[in-house]
Amino acid sequence: MQKLLHNLNPEQLAAVTLPAQSAMILAGAGSGKTRVLTTRIAWLIQTGQVSPQGILAVTFTNKSAKEMQLRLSAMLPINTRSMWIGTFHGICNRLLRAHHRDAGLPQTFQILDSSDQLSFIKRLLKANNIDDEKFPPRTVMYFINGAKDQGLRAAAVDAYDDFNRKLVALYDLYDAQCQREGVVDFAELLLRTYELLSRNQPLREHYQARFQHILVDEFQDTNDLQYKWLKLMAGAGSGRPSAVFAVGDDDQSIYAFRGANVGNMSAFEREFKVENLIKLEQNYRSHGHILDTANALIAHNSKRLGKNLRTDAGHGELIRISESSSDIQEAQWITEEAKSLMREGSLGNEIAILYRSNAQSRVLEHALFTAGLPYRVYGGQRYFERAEIKHAIAYMQLMDNPHNDSAFLRVVNFPTRGIGARSLEQLQDAARQYGISLYAAVPYVSGKAGSSLGGFVKLIEGARFETHNLPLPEMVKVVLEISSLMTHYQNDKEGADRIENLEQLVNAATLFVSEEGFGHSAPALAGPASQAASGMLTLPGGIEIIDADAALPTVMSPLSAFLSHASLEAGDNQAQAGQDALQLMTVHAAKGLEFDAVFITGLEEGLFPHENSAKEESGVEEERRLMYVAITRARKRLYISFSQTRMLHGQTRYNMRSRFFDEMPEASLKWLTPKVQANWFGNKKSAWDDAPDAAANAIAQGFSKNQSNSGSGWRSGQGVVHGKFGEGVIVNIEGSGTNARAHINFGKFGMKLLDLSIAKLDKI
């Protein structure tokens, strides 16, 4: 026991050894929350308070779930494979597989990842003659997912105008089509599980009694439905609710755009009558100046639960602040600094360049490429999202569930087999007429089209026959051969990489069966004594169910399990640190990662904080939390940069530096440009102060050269004050006399073109 607990600090030890009641662990960035979670589980098991089967641990990424399983395996001599440790979607998938009949799903239901869901909706709109300009597929997808995240079916959504009534109707059509095809999207996994447990009392009480301890990671990222699901699993409000160990950080809640509700943390404290709130404030990642800056910044947010990160690692280096005249110069400066770090011995994959918007990466990539520095951009396709892999997966999906129309349409004519648009129209007409899947409708199509489509069906049936009883890796090999995918890419001039990716699919299958135990089939079991081992349980009243805590081989076939794994992996949105190359990614993608050196770029009003956030206080607070996350990714060295001009979306933007600079402690900052007293640009020095005319010229790219305009009495570079827009600077003047007009940058109000003979301006 001492060995298990000896590396914990006092706060961590207090959290791990809490009594069996609900608790909130406020875990700051880099405070060792994964250690606390896994040690808590190990301590509960080792002290005999609960069996491994009595624990439910829920995370937000597959990476976190695997990390917890690995650490537990190292701590205790137990098999963690059958334990309930996984993502929300993974846990729900497991429940629905075990209870698919009660959930109203086919046993071989398949999961639509985000790209498949979008394709599905495009097909739905086309089939129902819906104008996709009036109802863009992404808008429809966000509407459906948003409703599901709130726990609402179409009938319960408030349709307050004609547009929303149409969206509700499309949601209803979408649900019906998914049911016909035997597919579910990510949001459906949660909603269907919640509905199942809500209406099935014996099943609900079984799991409530089973899971005495529920542990939740990243609690601040839960949405409304996830929180309701947790309350249901825990038996909140019942006589003996489960002990919920919620670990989260309200200062790192940055996913409101995906439905996350940071208010769930306060609601949890109240509704679960939490008596124990422990703050993990000892940081093991970053140096002092980095943490001081993060603490000072986030203190400007209201309604925080409140904590202050500290470290024993010393103050470290000051945070370097750089101002550039343009985004091109900013990228060049970052490139030179990265070169310097690498000359000093830093590895590329320990240096991250973060940005608020993906649009910023183009200039950065160009500078790095020109300098010959290796880099990796997170945001590209993950392995299971690549076209050639999705083609192979589609063939296997049809073998497992032939009624998946999305999979059918993806590969019915890939590689080309003479099935054109007209043939597919005939097939779709037949499917609609008889209310069946495309696969089932093939016999109703005659002529050449019917013959070609029949050939495709024979190919799928042949693949199913050839792979019967084969191990999963061998099955994948046969599919790649029978489908002719390998042959197709061998004849492609640029197909070498795709072939290599397809070959890796066999390796992925091999690793999967090894990790999930499919390579070791259990002997057949019979008789009442073998009920639990075979995955069968009898509930009060003689109701017999499958017990979903059984290992995957009991609940799912290897193929079904692998296909679910592929979809869930494709939906995991956290970045993974890559090869020895500079790591480029958005701040959202960087959450959960850490690097020796971090560059945070584009700290300008309208970009970071983003202009969309200015409409409401909660929006600016979320942007501040995002900046807090960015700062706390750095271990040793942090750079923050901004530029006076930036080309975004084809337009030149004229910028004021971010308000966040005013919220950082001066003692922790090292400005790499000169400083003087406060001016329109803020209370930190900018290039405007030493040479306003030259700076204005640098900013006014695309406008006329910097010049005085004696006819109007104003000049470029002149600081001004306007009654509505506040302080600004004249960037350029066009015309003269009474016809003079000025382009004026008013910071958060942006660039304005004002008539100087009318506008009421005062000089600064």
Side-chain angles (χ1 to χ4, degrees):
M1 183 64 66
Q2 290 303 315
K3 184 178 179 182
L4 189 68
L5 304 177
H6 82 282
N7 280 329
L8 303 176
N9 67 36
E11 293 84 4
Q12 291 174 333
L13 179 63
V16 166
T17 57
L18 280 171
Q21 60 190 59
S22 293
M24 170 66 76
I25 312 302
L26 199 59
S31 62
K33 68 180 178 63
T34 303
R35 173 190 289 181
V36 168
L37 274 164
T38 50
T39 309
R40 169 72 171 174
I41 295 172
W43 182 77
L44 287 169
I45 294 171
Q46 197 168 50
T47 54
Q49 296 183 59
V50 68
S51 72
Q53 286 72 37
I55 286 174
L56 173 64
V58 189
T59 71
F60 269 83
T61 67
N62 295 304
K63 176 186 174 185
S64 297
K66 289 174 183 175
E67 177 69 17
M68 287 178 66
Q69 288 177 324
L70 283 172
R71 292 196 189 191
L72 271 174
S73 295
M75 290 179 179
L76 297 174
I78 60 174
N79 180 4
T80 61
R81 186 180 297 137
S82 64
M83 287 184 68
W84 285 65
I85 300 175
T87 64
F88 276 99
H89 295 125
I91 295 291
C92 288
N93 175 55
R94 188 171 185 171
L95 264 165
L96 292 176
R97 296 289 173 184
H99 311 294
H100 63 91
R101 289 189 186 87
D102 288 327
L105 289 169
Q107 187 171 12
T108 57
F109 74 83
Q110 291 170 356
I111 303 168
L112 297 172
D113 63 31
S114 296
S115 63
D116 287 337
Q117 185 186 15
L118 188 61
S119 297
F120 187 103
I121 289 170
K122 288 177 181 177
R123 177 161 54 86
L124 182 74
L125 295 176
K126 186 176 180 181
N128 289 276
N129 297 315
I130 305 296
D131 187 343
D132 61 6
E133 290 189 1
K134 290 183 179 178
F135 297 91
R138 284 193 184 277
T139 299
V140 177
M141 184 169 78
Y142 293 151
F143 177 84
I144 292 171
N145 291 345
K148 289 186 179 185
D149 286 343
Q150 295 177 60
L152 302 175
R153 289 293 179 195
V157 177
D158 181 21
Y160 51 83
D161 59 24
D162 289 342
F163 184 74
N164 271 269
R165 274 190 284 277
K166 189 65 175 179
L167 287 173
V168 168
L170 287 171
Y171 179 11
D172 202 30
L173 286 171
Y174 171 87
D175 258 0
Q177 185 68 18
C178 284
Q179 190 67 31
R180 279 196 297 273
E181 295 186 22
V183 297
V184 299
D185 55 49
F186 290 141
E188 182 70 18
L189 287 169
L190 270 158
L191 180 54
R192 188 71 68 112
T193 306
Y194 177 76
E195 291 171 338
L196 168 66
L197 294 174
S198 295
R199 68 172 180 265
N200 191 320
Q201 183 180 348
L203 200 60
R204 180 175 69 252
E205 291 177 348
H206 163 68
Y207 285 112
Q208 287 173 344
R210 154 182 271 284
F211 296 128
Q212 303 164 45
H213 290 268
I214 300 176
L215 300 93
V216 188
D217 192 12
E218 305 286 7
F219 197 88
Q220 76 280 353
D221 291 336
T222 55
N223 62 31
D224 292 344
L225 181 58
Q226 287 164 338
Y227 182 48
K228 288 166 67 176
W229 182 91
L230 284 167
K231 288 197 292 184
L232 200 61
M233 290 292 281
S238 65
R240 295 184 59 187
S242 303
V244 179
F245 189 83
V247 180
D249 182 1
D250 55 332
D251 291 335
Q252 294 190 73
S253 179
I254 60 173
Y255 296 120
F257 70 95
R258 289 209 308 246
N261 182 0
V262 67
N264 287 343
M265 296 184 74
S266 299
F268 171 74
E269 280 192 275
R270 182 177 65 256
E271 294 175 14
F272 281 78
K273 298 178 173 59
V274 171
E275 298 176 7
N276 297 300
L277 189 151
I278 295 178
K279 299 179 181 181
L280 304 183
E281 298 174 300
Q282 178 74 37
N283 179 280
Y284 295 95
R285 175 187 301 161
S286 307
H287 286 161
H289 283 307
I290 294 170
L291 296 182
D292 290 346
T293 301
N295 288 332
L297 177 83
I298 203 64
H300 286 79
N301 272 7
S302 60
K303 301 177 183 177
R304 296 174 61 226
L305 295 176
K307 67 181 182 318
N308 214 48
L309 297 178
R310 65 181 188 275
T311 181
D312 295 333
H315 288 298
E317 299 181 23
L318 292 170
I319 295 170
R320 293 163 171 84
I321 312 295
S322 173
E323 175 185 7
S324 302
S325 63
S326 70
D327 53 347
I328 295 173
Q329 287 193 5
E330 178 189 50
Q332 290 170 344
W333 173 77
I334 290 170
T335 299
E336 290 304 315
E337 288 293 327
K339 274 185 181 178
S340 178
L341 287 171
M342 295 173 82
R343 280 196 298 268
E344 293 171 9
S346 294
L347 297 174
N349 61 4
E350 288 299 347
I351 303 172
I353 302 173
L354 309 183
Y355 34 82
R356 177 63 181 85
S357 168
N358 275 311
Q360 294 171 250
S361 73
R362 182 190 61 81
V363 173
L364 292 165
E365 287 186 68
H366 179 75
L368 294 171
F369 178 80
T370 302
L373 289 181
Y375 67 89
R376 174 182 181 269
V377 180
Y378 174 75
Q381 289 181 315
R382 299 173 70 88
Y383 177 75
F384 284 111
E385 292 174 330
R386 293 168 181 164
E388 62 275 15
I389 301 303
K390 291 188 81 69
H391 288 326
I393 291 292
Y395 277 101
M396 290 186 274
Q397 286 175 326
L398 286 175
M399 291 162 56
D400 196 46
N401 170 19
H403 305 299
N404 183 336
D405 284 358
S406 294
F408 184 96
L409 288 169
R410 175 177 283 277
V411 293
V412 66
N413 197 40
F414 192 94
T416 305
R417 50 179 61 89
I419 300 174
R422 179 62 189 137
S423 298
L424 290 177
E425 283 179 17
Q426 290 178 254
L427 180 63
Q428 289 167 329
D429 288 343
R432 276 194 294 271
Q433 181 181 349
Y434 295 103
I436 54 180
S437 68
L438 297 177
Y439 196 93
V442 168
Y444 296 96
V445 180
S446 58
K448 183 180 178 183
S451 177
S452 299
L453 289 164
F456 175 68
V457 168
K458 287 179 182 177
L459 184 150
I460 298 299
E461 296 299 331
R464 185 183 286 116
F465 177 80
E466 291 286 337
T467 58
H468 184 62
N469 285 335
L470 281 181
L472 183 64
E474 295 300 316
M475 184 183 295
V476 174
K477 287 181 183 178
V478 171
V479 169
L480 295 179
E481 178 78 22
I482 290 179
S483 66
S484 300
L485 285 172
M486 297 294 276
T487 303
H488 171 80
Y489 289 119
Q490 284 167 359
N491 296 327
D492 188 329
K493 291 180 181 179
E494 300 178 356
D497 288 344
R498 296 185 186 275
I499 289 172
E500 185 176 334
N501 288 335
L502 287 171
E503 289 171 344
Q504 284 296 318
L505 192 58
V506 180
N507 297 338
T510 302
L511 179 63
F512 177 77
V513 296
S514 172
E515 288 182 342
E516 298 296 342
F518 282 101
H520 309 284
S521 299
L525 298 162
S530 66
Q531 266 197 334
S534 67
M536 294 302 298
L537 287 175
T538 302
L539 300 181
I543 300 173
E544 206 172 62
I545 65 166
I546 297 175
D547 184 17
D549 77 308
L552 278 178
T554 307
V555 179
M556 303 171 69
S557 72
L559 179 57
S560 291
F562 183 62
L563 293 174
S564 294
H565 164 76
S567 295
L568 293 170
E569 282 286 338
D572 204 339
N573 49 45
Q574 185 183 29
Q576 307 287 331
Q579 67 269 26
D580 187 17
L582 295 169
Q583 306 290 298
L584 275 67
M585 65 190 76
T586 65
V587 182
H588 280 102
K591 186 169 180 290
L593 303 180
E594 56 186 79
F595 305 90
D596 283 345
V598 171
F599 293 84
I600 308 174
T601 67
L603 258 288
E604 299 134 23
E605 285 295 310
L607 182 56
F608 204 174
H610 197 275
E611 57 194 356
N612 292 344
S613 70
K615 299 172 185 175
E616 51 188 40
E617 181 183 3
S618 61
V620 175
E621 294 210 348
E622 175 124 346
E623 290 290 302
R624 192 175 284 113
R625 291 194 292 268
L626 192 59
M627 183 61 184
Y628 176 85
V629 167
I631 291 170
T632 54
R633 298 311 94 198
R635 297 190 192 106
K636 302 174 183 177
R637 190 174 288 189
L638 178 61
Y639 302 83
I640 303 176
S641 65
F642 65 103
S643 67
Q644 297 162 353
T645 65
R646 183 175 302 277
M647 179 69 77
L648 281 177
H649 311 299
Q651 293 184 329
T652 301
R653 296 170 57 140
Y654 305 86
N655 309 310
M656 287 182 69
R657 65 180 183 81
S658 173
R659 71 188 72 184
F660 293 155
F661 284 116
D662 297 328
E663 300 171 358
M664 300 178 193
E666 181 70 21
S668 294
L669 308 182
K670 179 180 180 180
W671 290 78
L672 302 183
T673 47
K675 297 187 299 177
V676 292
Q677 298 302 314
N679 52 56
W680 76 273
F681 208 67
N683 62 13
K684 303 295 188 299
K685 163 73 171 146
S686 80
W688 291 81
D689 298 297
D690 284 340
D693 290 344
N697 181 43
I699 282 190
Q701 295 176 12
F703 289 100
S704 60
K705 292 183 179 179
N706 180 33
Q707 58 184 345
S708 294
N709 191 315
S710 57
S712 66
W714 301 92
R715 61 176 175 79
S716 300
Q718 174 72 58
V720 299
V721 176
H722 185 272
K724 179 179 180 181
F725 304 124
E727 294 184 2
V729 67
I730 297 176
V731 173
N732 183 64
I733 296 175
E734 59 185 43
S736 60
T738 57
N739 294 321
R741 297 190 303 172
H743 294 267
I744 306 175
N745 185 352
F746 286 105
K748 68 178 182 179
F749 289 102
M751 187 66 64
K752 304 294 181 184
L753 179 60
L754 300 181
D755 189 324
L756 290 174
S757 66
I758 299 174
K760 294 181 179 179
L761 296 172
D762 293 321
K763 296 179 181 179
I764 296 178

